[in-house]
Amino acid sequence: MGVVSFWPRLFRDVTARRKRPQFGSMAEQHWALEPGWLLSPAGRPYLDSIVHKNQRRAFGLLERPALPPALAVPTVTYKLFLAGRSGVGKTALVAWLGGTPAPPAHHETLGIEVTTLFWPAKPRCSSRPVLFQLHLWDCGDGALRKFEHLLPACKEEADAALFLFSFTDRASFEELPALMGRVLDPGDPHLVRVVVGTKFDLVAHAAVTEEDVRTFEGSQGLRVLRAGGTAGTSGARAGLARVAPVLDALVEQLWRRDQVTAGVTPGDTGDTPT
């Protein structure tokens, strides 16, 4: 996984109308991804392209998975910004999604860390898979509050904002509406909002209940994704089975947004929008 740490320059703000996402409609079923496709025999060549010696491959900013010409697929790039109070597990989530070890001890991210990962997936309405290139922007909460130019930099041309809370920290859950209000502007264009609950596997220490999550989903119109507390270093294939539902859900929401923006109807092919 390629990681770049830097203090970016001040970027301009972007404004447009924000729409609240909805889920569960018939159109979404057409635009959904085929669950478990990457781990199926059909997805095996694409799985092999992101795995090496049973470990997830590390990709730099200019690298991409190597596929034979017959299996070449379109690549769609997205920028995702992670927001959340210090200690909820933003850096650990990036490591968990990328199949790399998380830091052994918590320390505040000093500036911005950008991690690149690839995720192949198969839209149900498409005749071929799509290779999603995800740039995950992780910024320390303390730095984000102290330096005003960091938030515009993280949001510049972003496709999604991931708002994190920890299932072991109720305060981080209760602060979600305030966090979203602080990060989002009324005019953020086409910015997909995603809520991720970390440390979901630490049920013995859970401070947020399933009823709490259902109430939040109903009031906000947002789906809450659940992520484990550890990266799972037993091997790439075992780890992929754990992270696949979360990565599929992330790219599915972004793919759906692009299909709606491109004016694709459920009866169309659903190939990569231009």
Side-chain angles (χ1 to χ4, degrees):
M1 212 62 55
V3 177
V4 179
S5 298
F6 57 93
W7 293 94
R9 300 188 303 272
L10 176 64
F11 290 95
R12 62 180 176 83
D13 287 319
V14 183
T15 58
R17 184 178 180 83
R18 184 181 75 229
K19 296 182 180 179
R20 173 174 292 185
Q22 302 294 326
F23 50 88
S25 66
M26 182 64 67
E28 288 182 354
Q29 299 303 315
H30 286 276
W31 292 332
L33 302 179
E34 291 187 7
W37 171 84
L38 184 63
L39 303 177
S40 70
R44 179 62 182 270
Y46 301 93
L47 173 63
D48 291 342
S49 72
I50 62 172
V51 172
H52 178 66
K53 295 182 178 179
N54 202 29
Q55 297 294 328
R56 288 282 292 278
R57 294 188 58 186
F59 294 98
L61 294 176
L62 301 179
E63 297 176 300
R64 64 183 57 247
L67 288 165
L71 297 178
V73 294
T75 299
V76 181
T77 301
Y78 293 123
K79 174 182 176 182
L80 298 83
F81 164 50
L82 282 71
R85 69 184 298 182
S86 179
V88 296
K90 296 186 294 295
T91 302
L93 175 66
V94 173
W96 187 73
L97 294 175
T100 60
H106 170 260
H107 62 85
E108 179 78 12
T109 302
L110 298 179
I112 297 176
E113 293 186 353
V114 181
T115 300
T116 299
L117 65 87
F118 288 87
W119 188 250
K122 174 70 167 57
R124 289 179 179 174
C125 57
S126 177
S127 59
R128 55 180 175 171
V130 176
L131 185 62
F132 294 95
Q133 183 181 29
L134 306 180
H135 298 298
L136 304 176
W137 286 51
D138 171 19
C139 183
D141 188 53
L144 202 64
R145 294 173 183 269
K146 184 177 180 180
F147 300 98
E148 295 182 354
H149 65 281
L150 291 183
L151 180 57
C154 291
K155 290 173 57 179
E156 175 71 10
E157 298 184 354
D159 297 286
L162 275 60
F163 299 98
L164 273 64
F165 73 93
S166 170
F167 273 94
T168 64
D169 181 359
R170 185 167 185 83
S172 68
F173 176 75
E174 294 175 343
E175 291 176 3
L176 279 175
L179 173 65
M180 290 188 288
R182 188 170 69 248
V183 170
L184 297 173
D185 295 321
D188 283 327
H190 308 298
L191 193 64
V192 175
R193 297 181 298 162
V194 181
V195 177
V196 182
T198 62
K199 307 177 185 178
F200 178 63
D201 52 352
L202 303 180
V203 291
H205 305 282
V208 180
T209 67
E210 286 297 317
E211 183 178 356
D212 294 330
V213 172
R214 287 193 297 270
T215 300
F216 176 85
E217 289 179 326
S219 63
Q220 296 291 328
L222 296 171
R223 177 184 174 189
V224 175
L225 305 181
R226 295 157 175 79
T230 58
T233 57
S234 58
R237 298 180 190 279
L240 281 172
R242 299 182 62 200
V243 303
V246 177
L247 283 170
D248 279 348
L250 283 175
V251 298
E252 182 177 282
Q253 292 188 52
L254 290 161
W255 176 259
R256 181 184 303 123
R257 181 208 63 177
D258 285 351
Q259 298 297 288
V260 173
T261 302
V264 177
T265 65
D268 292 334
T269 61
D271 284 339
T272 308
T274 57

